[in-house]
Amino acid sequence: MSERKAVTKKFALDYRRGDRVRKGQILDQVCELNGWHRSHARKALTQALVLKVVRPRPPRPPLYGEAVIKALRFLWAVQGTPCGRLLAAALPDLVPRLRRLGELNVDDETATLLLQIAPATIDRRLSADWAKLTLRGRSHTKPGTLLKDSIPMRTWAEWDDAVPGFVEIDLVGHEGGNS
């Protein structure tokens, strides 16, 4: 189909500028190449140069409302913040069990929506909550280039940590980002 459109576009400008005889020759060529009738080829040649206005598609209404997302956040926290794929696999067992125990108070429609939500949708809807939990700036050490060339590299054969006075120092902050 794309090749037919390419052929039609190639001949369309010549068809528009040509006289009656030239238009007939172009129609014959397009009909032979594409296997169309003359009337269809004529219409395709005239429409090939017309710019089509492409309107953006109106957005679909959201399928999962705030009640579903609120329940999803609760279930996500109960499971220990797993990824959407793991949470979606656990939902068919988790939702009925928590509803039976009275921990999850949702209506039947919300429960049905929770059972059919896709893993990618779970990841998209919980991305803001996931971003709040990520740790940033966990290390206080900065790589230095001044001493890098002056510190000798030791190979595996040169390590002798049984000698008295051997010390290893760890320069990574282990306080969880709260110095």
Side-chain angles (χ1 to χ4, degrees):
M1 188 68 177
S2 63
E3 292 153 357
R4 288 180 176 177
K5 286 183 180 180
V7 167
T8 307
K9 276 190 175 183
K10 181 182 175 198
F11 288 113
L13 192 59
D14 289 338
Y15 182 78
R16 179 183 282 177
R17 293 180 180 167
D19 58 348
R20 185 177 175 100
V21 176
R22 180 67 182 139
K23 284 184 180 183
Q25 293 170 351
I26 292 173
L27 274 176
D28 290 337
Q29 288 177 341
V30 170
C31 289
E32 183 181 333
L33 290 172
N34 293 337
W36 291 338
H37 293 286
R38 287 178 70 85
S39 59
H40 181 73
R42 185 180 299 115
K43 184 177 179 183
L45 285 168
T46 56
Q47 292 295 317
L49 297 177
V50 176
L51 294 177
K52 296 177 185 171
V53 177
V54 179
R55 292 187 201 105
R57 188 173 63 184
R60 294 191 304 187
L63 181 62
Y64 306 107
E66 189 56 39
V68 176
I69 303 305
K70 184 177 177 183
L72 189 66
R73 283 189 189 115
F74 173 73
L75 294 169
W76 181 63
V78 165
Q79 284 294 102
T81 65
C83 65
R85 183 175 47 87
L86 296 177
L87 184 60
L91 285 178
D93 182 49
L94 190 65
V95 171
R97 184 174 295 177
L98 289 180
R99 286 185 74 196
R100 192 174 349 109
L101 295 174
E103 296 291 326
L104 183 64
N105 297 321
V106 294
D107 56 347
D108 292 336
E109 182 181 341
T110 304
T112 305
L113 289 173
L114 280 171
L115 294 177
Q116 71 183 18
I117 192 166
T121 306
I122 292 172
D123 285 335
R124 281 193 307 270
R125 295 299 180 130
L126 296 177
S127 63
D129 299 314
W130 189 269
K132 291 177 187 175
L133 296 178
T134 57
L135 296 175
R136 282 172 280 187
R138 297 182 352 189
S139 174
H140 300 291
T141 59
K142 303 286 186 264
T145 57
L146 296 175
L147 297 176
K148 190 182 284 186
D149 294 332
S150 64
I151 298 173
M153 288 293 296
R154 294 189 288 180
T155 62
W156 64 272
E158 297 171 358
W159 285 93
D160 189 16
D161 54 354
V163 176
F166 182 81
V167 176
E168 284 188 21
I169 298 174
D170 189 11
L171 298 177
V172 179
H174 291 285
E175 76 286 341
N178 186 4
S179 57

